[in-house]
Amino acid sequence: MPLVKVQSRGTENVGGGRRNIVINGAMQVAQRGTSETGVGGADGFFTCDRWGVYQGGTDGRLTMTQDSSAPSGFANSLKLDCTTADTSIASGEYFAIYQRFEGQDVQQIKKGTSDAENITVSFYVKGNASATYAVELFDNDNTRQASQLFNVTTDWTRVVKTFTADTTGAFDDDNAQSLQLNFWIHAGSNLTSGTLNQTFAANDNTNRAVGISSFFDSTDRTFFITGVQLEVGSQASDFQFESFGETLSRCQRYYTVIADGSEFVSSTFGMGAMYNSTNVYGSLKLPTAMRTGPTADMTSGTGYFNFFRNGGADAFDSVTLSVSQREGIEFYNQSEISGTAGHAGFFRIAHSNAKIALTAEL
Amino acid sequence: MNINTVKKNINPITNELCSYQVTFVNSNRVLSVPINTENTDYQAIQEWVKEGNTIEEAD
């Protein structure tokens, strides 16, 4: 039998298990939808799961898309396309995309201890023209931060930035937000008038985004990002790919779709029964335990939902949470349905625009 | 969140406050938010109240 020589690959950044702390770094999962117009007027989550928008005061608007443009080996990116420019930047304006991490998921960084680890962030970016933006790590537990600039060109480029270990301020070991990864692409002087703070220090807003250009300087502006990885150590390892199912399951800790009429008008969302003549109750076990008791996030309207029972269907407009736990929910509708106590039935979406999702985002 | 209204939901079984129903300006989006301090939508409602807004009583 021939012998096979196994070559060493070194040890740094090659630990077993999951290295990438970022969820959905390859922008595979977009449960909320694949495109959203007019983004810039409100905070929130719009397309790719786990990637939020943080904004203030800008008149700039963009379309956010889960896009098929991507570097070799990737299938998707998150695309921002400026649709309304904002070239008069007031001091308090800002726009960033971000991902937040639970404290219990970043303990391996050993932040705030003498054994604190360096953190390396890597990602692929491109744009319509050259631009300079900032990537920031923000310690929410101790109000500390560090930022580094990166350049965007018209070609896909992998950016690697290492942040020096911070021996001050430990992350809480809980399910609340401890670390936030920000990409600043537009900011006024409140965030740019100081000196860029490149190693962890007590937060001074004026030092957070110094030196960036503005994404909203032209409606020609685009920004694509994918392959986002945040790992312990001083080198970037290859992006850690995972299956769609793995990524979806990780995303469902924070957001999960229960029923979506745009996918199937008669989507079912569980069984229920008339508790009395005017109140119908239902319950659901969730596919993944969520971060905390979730919010029910609905698109509602007249007759958007149905309760089928006793050979017919009763239409109703929305549901109300009566119990919200990490593993399951109980919901009811009051007074839009009338029937016989004890009748069992099942719930369905009744309109293509109707949707029910559960959210427990950070 | 660009909140329009927040109203209390009283569970018909227990007659206790069980969640808030949230509507938004120019939107048919509705949230049913649990009474849970770990929930960031609940936290946002508390901030909204601190800004001087009022939660409506249940129907």
Side-chain angles (χ1 to χ4, degrees):
Chain A
M1 180 177 7
L3 294 175
V4 176
K5 185 176 180 180
V6 179
Q7 292 187 322
S8 170
R9 299 178 59 198
T11 56
E12 189 170 19
N13 295 83
V14 193
R18 179 170 284 120
R19 299 185 310 277
N20 192 3
I21 294 171
V22 170
I23 298 173
N24 199 25
M27 312 298 176
Q28 294 167 279
V29 176
Q31 295 185 82
R32 292 171 178 84
T34 56
S35 185
E36 181 78 13
T37 61
V39 173
D43 297 349
F45 296 85
F46 300 100
T47 58
C48 295
D49 278 52
R50 303 295 293 124
W51 293 103
V53 163
Y54 182 59
Q55 59 70 44
T58 180
D59 293 326
R61 295 291 183 269
L62 58 82
T63 295
M64 176 182 278
T65 311
Q66 182 197 42
D67 200 78
S68 58
S69 174
S72 179
F74 292 85
N76 299 107
S77 64
L78 179 65
K79 177 186 178 183
L80 307 182
D81 184 356
C82 180
T83 54
T84 303
D86 179 4
T87 56
S88 178
I89 308 174
S91 59
E93 290 187 16
Y94 56 88
F95 188 98
I97 57 174
Y98 68 83
Q99 185 164 143
R100 292 169 174 161
F101 308 99
E102 297 175 48
Q104 61 193 358
D105 290 336
V106 290
Q107 295 298 306
Q108 66 271 42
I109 295 172
K110 294 176 263 185
K111 192 173 177 302
T113 75
S114 57
D115 296 327
E117 301 272 6
N118 290 340
I119 305 168
T120 296
V121 181
S122 55
F123 47 93
Y124 294 83
V125 289
K126 77 167 187 177
N128 66 306
S130 61
T132 301
Y133 303 129
V135 55
E136 176 188 44
L137 294 178
F138 194 95
D139 169 0
N140 191 63
D141 292 327
N142 304 287
T143 321
R144 294 170 64 79
Q145 63 82 227
S147 297
Q148 297 192 44
L149 299 178
F150 63 93
N151 295 318
V152 176
T153 69
T154 55
D155 296 319
W156 281 107
T157 304
R158 192 183 196 201
V159 176
V160 176
K161 297 292 180 184
T162 296
F163 293 80
T164 305
D166 186 16
T167 57
T168 301
F171 290 135
D172 297 340
D173 183 18
D174 59 20
N175 65 346
Q177 174 195 347
S178 285
L179 180 65
Q180 181 162 331
L181 172 64
N182 295 321
F183 294 91
W184 292 103
I185 63 172
H186 175 85
S189 61
N190 288 358
L191 292 158
T192 62
S193 59
T195 302
L196 190 71
N197 181 43
Q198 299 188 64
T199 57
F200 273 100
N203 179 52
D204 176 341
N205 278 338
T206 62
N207 297 336
R208 297 177 69 181
V210 182
I212 69 167
S213 50
S214 171
F215 175 80
F216 290 121
D217 63 358
S218 165
T219 53
D220 293 334
R221 188 65 72 182
T222 58
F223 174 58
F224 298 75
I225 185 167
T226 193
V228 186
Q229 184 150 287
L230 189 158
E231 59 193 307
V232 167
S234 55
Q235 294 183 24
S237 62
D238 290 346
F239 181 81
Q240 188 171 30
F241 288 97
E242 57 189 15
S243 71
F244 181 88
E246 287 175 295
T247 302
L248 175 62
S249 181
R250 295 177 74 195
C251 292
Q252 285 176 328
R253 178 170 174 78
Y254 305 92
Y255 184 89
T256 188
V257 175
I258 298 302
D260 185 350
S262 69
E263 291 188 0
F264 181 53
V265 174
S266 297
S267 298
T268 183
F269 56 100
M271 305 292 291
M274 295 298 297
Y275 173 69
N276 53 29
S277 62
T278 57
N279 293 298
V280 62
Y281 276 75
S283 64
L284 288 170
K285 296 297 283 184
L286 305 181
T288 300
M290 301 191 76
R291 182 186 66 84
T292 188
T295 295
D297 188 343
M298 294 161 276
T299 307
S300 75
T302 303
Y304 268 29
F305 307 100
N306 272 329
F307 180 58
F308 284 81
R309 63 173 179 89
N310 195 34
D314 293 294
F316 60 100
D317 301 346
S318 63
V319 299
T320 300
L321 282 180
S322 48
V323 175
S324 174
Q325 297 175 296
R326 295 188 309 120
E327 298 85 3
I329 61 164
E330 179 188 273
F331 58 90
Y332 68 95
N333 179 272
Q334 186 174 28
S335 73
E336 291 176 351
I337 294 176
S338 62
T340 303
H343 274 176
F346 52 96
F347 296 96
R348 279 185 178 177
I349 294 280
H351 193 285
S352 60
N353 290 336
K355 185 174 184 177
I356 300 179
L358 299 176
T359 176
E361 290 285 359
L362 286 164
Chain B
M1 294 197 290
N2 294 327
I3 293 174
N4 185 26
T5 63
V6 179
K7 182 179 286 187
K8 293 179 181 177
N9 293 318
I10 304 298
N11 188 341
I13 295 177
T14 63
N15 278 327
E16 293 177 347
L17 175 66
C18 58
S19 56
Y20 293 128
Q21 211 78 352
V22 180
T23 63
F24 298 88
V25 178
N26 297 324
S27 173
N28 60 352
R29 183 184 179 208
V30 174
L31 300 184
S32 192
V33 180
I35 311 303
N36 176 353
T37 56
E38 292 182 351
N39 182 294
T40 52
D41 295 314
Y42 177 84
Q43 294 167 9
I45 291 170
Q46 303 313 305
E47 290 299 314
W48 183 78
V49 170
K50 284 181 183 176
E51 293 168 5
N53 299 291
T54 303
I55 297 173
E56 299 174 20
E57 295 299 320
D59 291 329

